[in-house]
Amino acid sequence: MEARFTQRDDLVVDVHLPERWGPLEDTLQDAVTTRAPRGSDGVNPSTYWIDDTLAAIERGSLGTIVAGGNASELILTTTGVVAHSQYEMFDDQEVGVDELVGVLRRWRAVVLDLLGT
């Protein structure tokens, strides 16, 4: 899946997907993000939530919420991962596990590159 990444003034790195993947992009920005966990000593950008999501996908089972945000979540299914809006802001959108993991790994690599500079 095509993805590009931009860094904001607060150093958070956003992921941008093709327009047809809008619900998934919104869910990644809400439920995963590169913002350091609240109350931690971490700085932005952080791989914490990306790493947490990758680990949850790896150990998850059917119906597992692998990432949850304020308004959306990623749910593991038998055929992939569904981006789900908790408040019906968008229809569910499913993506293959391998595609999602690929985007997450590229997002993580961008953050690590920025942390190294």
Side-chain angles (χ1 to χ4, degrees):
M1 176 183 299
E2 187 178 317
R4 66 181 181 82
F5 307 93
T6 59
Q7 189 171 30
R8 293 191 250 159
D9 291 341
D10 64 359
L11 304 181
V12 168
V13 177
D14 290 330
V15 60
H16 305 280
L17 303 176
E19 187 175 334
R20 70 183 184 96
W21 290 104
L24 177 61
E25 179 181 318
D26 290 348
T27 302
L28 291 173
Q29 305 290 37
D30 176 48
V32 181
T33 191
T34 62
R35 185 173 306 283
R38 183 175 293 164
S40 76
D41 292 335
V43 296
N44 294 335
S46 169
T47 64
Y48 181 88
W49 298 111
I50 296 171
D51 294 340
D52 189 62
T53 302
L54 286 167
I57 290 170
E58 187 175 306
R59 70 174 181 271
S61 58
L62 178 64
T64 299
I65 296 173
V66 295
N70 294 319
S72 58
E73 55 200 7
L74 293 172
I75 304 168
L76 201 56
T77 69
T78 56
T79 56
V81 178
V82 168
H84 172 74
S85 171
Q86 298 164 344
Y87 303 105
E88 299 177 18
M89 296 181 306
F90 55 79
D91 291 335
D92 287 357
Q93 184 171 54
E94 187 165 14
V95 62
V97 172
D98 291 342
E99 282 186 289
L100 179 59
V101 166
V103 168
L104 291 171
R105 287 184 177 153
R106 290 194 311 274
W107 198 7
R108 184 180 194 280
V110 168
V111 171
L112 291 175
D113 283 348
L114 290 168
L115 290 170
T117 59

